[in-house]
Amino acid sequence: MTRPSRSTPLEETRGASASGELLLEVRDLRTHLDTKNGLVRAVDGVSFRLHSGETLGIIGESGSGKSMTVLSMLQVVPKPAARIVGGEVLYRGQNLLEKNEREMRRIRGREIAMILQDPQTSLNPVFTIGNQIVEALRLHRRDGGGKALVHRAVEALRQVRIAAPEERIRSYPHEMSGGMKQRAVGALAISCGPRIIVADEPTTSLDVTIQAQYLRLLRDLQRETGLAILFITHDFGIVAKLCRHLLVMYAGRVVEAGPVRAVFNNPAHPYTRALLGSVVRADTKAERLEAIAGQPPALWGLPSGCRFAPRCPHADDRCRKEYPPQLRVRDEASDHVASCWRLEESHGNR
Amino acid sequence: METADVADLLEARRLRKHFGRVAAVDGLDFSLKRGRTLAVVGESGCGKTTTAKLILRLEQPSSGQVLVDGEDVHTLHGGALRRFRMRVQAVFQDPWSSLNPRKRVRSLVAEPLIVNERLGRKEVDRRVDRVLRDVGMRPEQARNFPHEFSGGQRQRIAIASALISNPALIILDEPVSALDVSIRAQIMNLFKDLQREYEVGYLLVAHDLGTTRYMADDIAVMYLGQIVEYAPSEDLFERPRHPYTQALLSATLPAHPDETKEEIVLPGEVPSPLDPPSGCRFNPRCPAKLGPICERTTPAVRDGGARGHTVACHLYPE
């Protein structure tokens, strides 16, 4: 009888692997959207770095610009409404924003692959899963003929722990459960041996125990291949479990960034603090939740100052008028930063 | 399960619902008292949504009963049925699809009153006013259309509409899972405040255990159409008995990167309800399986070690 694997938490690997090769550096990325309500600065000066073997979490609510950031990186923003208007996306030293569509096609999938929230939309319902992986391999790898490609498709399914992969390559998406479909999408993503996987809320549609399996799988794949993972989520639990570094986004901007442990121990931006405080926990019983007042902002006609100011208990006149600079948070982590005028006052513990 | 007394607000007795060969809900017993919250948790296909539909009369049971205030809701007619519709309301997951986009907030919120009660226009306005204030909105927002509101505000409108007829029971079907993280806390606090004020009972259907722990007094854990464990909320979280409950709790995400807990990763997925395993339905994935008894015999409901705590598992003495 099969027994479940009991092993140490995902935790361990994060501290263990020191930062590898710098794979991706995004500098001051800006993407604008034309909407009927006016111009939206969906991504408004986002910068970060990603190394091989590292997992970087981008956390934010709807409209924070977290998904638009990665769509811009890969130049798959919805056109013509969205325009990338500035910044650089340096992948191993080359600026992806200067590449044409033909060149980008060689990057997407082969160098940087994506896993989306809903596996249903990532798989073609009229082709078998094997066909879809072979098609991707044929486009990107071009080495080896039909048999070798099928063999590699089987291997990809095996890597994502799909049982009996030789049989499963003949399955259509509708013959698979939600969890298995998301694994198949994972197989499709890793089949061409990318260095970076961008995962946009890949577990949101999965059940709790299936989500646990999937996160473990991503961690194992990373350990085996040295992949870098860019994980987009709204869930601090996933960040705590999987990520080494974290960006917190609000209304198109990064408001806080740093090592996950530093941000959890010492959240500096009032938004991060409020967000962490409002999370319902399964491990203790809360009498009352600390709710954040107000609504996430409408992205057109944003205030010129700090975008969180209307909801922030510490905001003063300067906060409402001028956007705050990015400041270093004084704690043990050298790369913990936050954009807040009142960092010292609001962040009372130091 | 204890036999519930007549005063229970809601009671399910041997409740079953079959869709063809699939037993979506297979013999449920539970009860809920006025002003309390019972959560039904479990993964997709466990039957929690079908259970909610059976209570709301959106499905007819194949056998068994749903009692509200001691009356079988599936035999109601005329005035008694109208009364039921006033007393039992629902709030659903997605406030984008649950509100008619062509109606103003006033008529959306007032609908249960207009359909079920004969009230003058002034009285309706007064009640709409009051309930909008109670859910944290401004009365003048009654003139607006749903598209003018964010997700959190829309959920407040849906809650107002559920509350206006002074119900005794509201079915909450994943009421915060479509909302942004920063809004969830507001809405959950609101549910708690309203429960105290209106003395309303909630049947909460949820997959998120954090939400459940915050909201529920009692929890029923379902697996493949059956309740495998039933307990007061704190007892369930502190001393889960059933191996499935233990796995479910261990799969919840950590609150801090330094939190270490033993993680029980279950093999495989929930089997097809078309062909459920014999004996205990959890046996093919169970890390604590005893042997042939689990494959052959459906476990009876046993004492879970605390008052009101029961578990259906061969690990525990009958």
Side-chain angles (χ1 to χ4, degrees), chain A residues 3-4 11 62 177 207 261 292, chain B residues 44 180 186 257-258 265 269 287:
Chain A
R3 311 219 64 161
E11 191 44 30
S62 43
S177 67
D207 276 321
R261 199 171 271 110
I292 307 179
Chain B
S44 14
D180 263 322
Q186 290 177 7
D258 289 336
V265 177
E269 305 192 8

Side-chain angles (χ1 to χ4, degrees), chain A residues 24-309:
Chain A
L24 185 73
E25 182 170 9
V26 172
R27 288 187 191 156
D28 199 27
L29 185 64
R30 291 168 194 276
T31 301
H32 289 177
L33 269 171
D34 290 315
T35 72
K36 64 180 196 303
N37 294 302
L39 180 76
V40 165
R41 295 186 168 85
V43 181
D44 199 14
V46 169
S47 305
F48 60 87
R49 292 162 155 225
L50 181 66
H51 298 86
S52 62
E54 179 190 19
T55 304
L56 172 69
I58 302 185
I59 197 162
E61 300 180 83
S62 43
S64 63
K66 56 190 194 302
S67 294
M68 200 54 88
T69 299
V70 298
L71 295 179
S72 304
M73 250 170 57
L74 291 170
Q75 294 183 47
V76 285
V77 292
K79 282 176 184 156
R83 283 170 290 127
I84 302 166
V85 296
E88 288 175 307
V89 177
L90 301 171
Y91 173 71
R92 306 180 82 204
Q94 306 170 56
N95 187 359
L96 298 187
L97 297 185
E98 287 166 358
K99 298 204 177 289
N100 61 29
E101 180 56 26
R102 202 186 142 88
E103 292 165 322
M104 276 312 288
R105 254 182 245 150
R106 265 182 249 133
I107 302 281
R108 293 184 211 124
R110 178 151 65 170
E111 305 291 334
I112 306 175
M114 231 175 141
I115 300 175
L116 301 175
Q117 180 173 341
D118 182 6
Q120 206 74 47
T121 54
S122 306
L123 296 172
N124 189 329
V126 301
F127 290 102
T128 64
I129 183 64
N131 261 327
Q132 297 184 54
I133 297 176
V134 166
E135 164 86 8
L137 287 168
R138 193 166 280 145
L139 273 169
H140 286 302
R141 303 297 298 219
R142 289 180 209 168
D143 45 349
K147 267 217 176 114
L149 292 181
V150 171
H151 180 71
R152 296 216 353 221
V154 170
E155 280 314 303
L157 290 179
R158 202 189 307 279
Q159 261 189 300
V160 297
R161 288 29 163 194
I162 285 182
E166 297 85 354
E167 317 288 315
R168 272 296 166 187
I169 59 165
R170 285 190 289 273
S171 295
Y172 288 90
H174 75 267
E175 297 172 294
M176 300 174 153
S177 67
M180 201 190 293
K181 264 186 276 201
Q182 196 58 303
R183 276 163 193 271
V185 172
L188 199 54
I190 60 164
S191 62
C192 301
R195 288 172 204 269
I196 300 175
I197 282 193
V198 176
D200 190 351
E201 310 238 21
T203 60
T204 314
S205 61
L206 303 181
D207 276 321
V208 195
T209 61
I210 306 301
Q211 165 170 284
Q213 286 177 358
Y214 199 81
L215 295 178
R216 180 168 293 271
L217 171 70
L218 280 180
R219 193 274 318 261
D220 290 347
L221 285 176
Q222 184 169 45
R223 191 186 273 164
E224 288 159 20
T225 61
L227 271 172
I229 300 177
L230 192 56
F231 204 105
I232 297 169
T233 181
H234 63 272
D235 193 332
F236 274 109
I238 288 182
V239 172
K241 186 156 190 159
L242 207 64
C243 301
R244 181 140 47 110
H245 282 87
L246 167 66
L247 304 181
V248 182
M249 288 189 70
Y250 189 78
R253 293 202 171 176
V254 175
V255 295
E256 182 161 359
V260 166
R261 199 171 271 110
V263 175
F264 271 78
N265 286 337
N266 195 18
H269 197 283
Y271 175 63
T272 315
R273 272 211 303 288
L275 209 52
L276 272 168
S278 70
V279 171
V280 270
R281 297 167 59 153
D283 63 334
T284 51
K285 165 98 176 174
E287 272 319 305
R288 191 139 186 102
L289 300 172
E290 297 168 42
I292 307 179
Q295 310 289 330
L299 294 175
W300 44 91
L302 282 169
S304 57
C306 172
R307 281 143 198 208
F308 187 60

Side-chain angles (χ1 to χ4, degrees), chain B:
Chain B
M1 215 127 302
E2 294 169 56
T3 39
D5 58 53
V6 197
D8 281 340
L9 168 62
L10 170 70
E11 193 189 344
R13 287 188 187 159
R14 298 263 160 266
L15 188 61
R16 281 202 167 76
K17 176 67 188 178
H18 295 249
F19 297 100
R21 281 161 50 221
V22 176
V25 165
D26 200 13
L28 303 187
D29 290 283
F30 57 80
S31 67
L32 170 66
K33 290 205 178 356
R34 177 139 204 172
R36 309 272 292 172
T37 301
L38 169 67
V40 179
V41 302
E43 299 181 275
S44 14
C46 74
K48 57 189 193 292
T49 299
T50 305
T51 306
K53 286 183 172 170
L54 287 166
I55 299 168
L56 287 167
R57 288 179 45 114
L58 297 172
E59 294 284 355
Q60 282 284 328
S62 309
S63 67
Q65 291 172 305
V66 177
L67 309 179
V68 171
D69 293 327
E71 283 186 299
D72 184 340
V73 305
H74 292 278
T75 60
L76 300 176
H77 293 284
L81 181 56
R82 256 200 312 281
R83 222 164 28 248
F84 167 82
R85 289 193 172 131
M86 302 285 291
R87 289 180 61 71
V88 182
Q89 291 285 332
V91 174
F92 296 101
Q93 176 172 357
D94 183 6
W96 302 96
S97 58
S98 64
L99 301 175
N100 184 338
R102 294 166 55 162
K103 289 193 168 174
R104 289 177 199 274
V105 170
R106 182 192 178 275
S107 38
L108 288 168
V109 171
E111 193 166 287
L113 280 188
I114 292 163
V115 172
N116 295 309
E117 272 185 89
R118 288 202 196 99
L119 291 176
R121 204 190 146 77
K122 271 220 173 108
E123 175 63 11
V124 171
D125 284 341
R126 200 185 61 78
R127 299 264 297 257
V128 170
D129 237 55
R130 187 186 142 207
V131 77
L132 284 179
R133 277 181 220 272
D134 283 350
V135 300
M137 295 182 68
R138 295 191 310 277
E140 63 268 25
Q141 291 177 309
R143 286 192 297 270
N144 297 43
F145 286 98
H147 75 259
E148 299 172 70
F149 296 94
S150 65
Q153 296 288 83
R154 283 164 168 256
Q155 203 60 321
R156 286 177 196 270
I157 297 168
I159 296 165
S161 170
L163 271 179
I164 199 164
S165 59
N166 273 319
L169 172 66
I170 303 183
I171 312 292
L172 306 176
D173 190 354
E174 302 276 8
V176 296
S177 45
L179 304 178
D180 263 322
V181 187
S182 76
I183 304 301
R184 283 183 196 178
Q186 290 177 7
I187 300 296
M188 278 192 269
N189 284 340
L190 177 65
F191 279 126
K192 281 206 150 181
D193 295 343
L194 293 171
Q195 181 161 54
R196 224 167 296 133
E197 208 170 307
Y198 283 75
E199 238 206 316
V200 60
Y202 293 139
L203 184 112
L204 170 69
V205 172
H207 72 279
D208 177 62
L209 293 162
T211 311
T212 310
R213 185 163 199 177
Y214 181 62
M215 301 266 301
D217 298 301
D218 295 295
I219 297 180
V221 181
M222 288 186 72
Y223 189 79
L224 275 178
Q226 296 172 337
I227 293 175
V228 295
E229 188 161 7
Y230 189 96
S233 171
E234 282 314 283
D235 206 46
L236 188 97
F237 277 97
E238 295 303 327
R239 282 169 294 278
R241 301 284 170 166
H242 198 284
Y244 177 64
T245 312
Q246 290 167 355
L248 209 53
L249 292 183
S250 89
T252 58
L253 293 163
H256 190 281
D258 289 336
E259 186 180 303
T260 53
K261 62 179 160 194
E262 191 178 31
E263 193 180 324
I264 309 166
V265 177
L266 294 176
E269 305 192 8
V270 181
S272 161
L274 267 172
D275 186 20
S278 60
C280 169
R281 293 185 170 187
F282 186 57
N283 88 73
R285 302 174 75 200
C286 183
K289 186 171 165 181
L290 290 168
I293 185 172
C294 300
E295 292 165 25
R296 281 192 215 121
T297 318
T298 304
V301 173
R302 297 134 206 261
D303 179 14
R307 197 182 142 76
H309 192 154
T310 57
V311 57
C313 175
H314 291 297
L315 283 174
Y316 302 96
E318 245 176 286

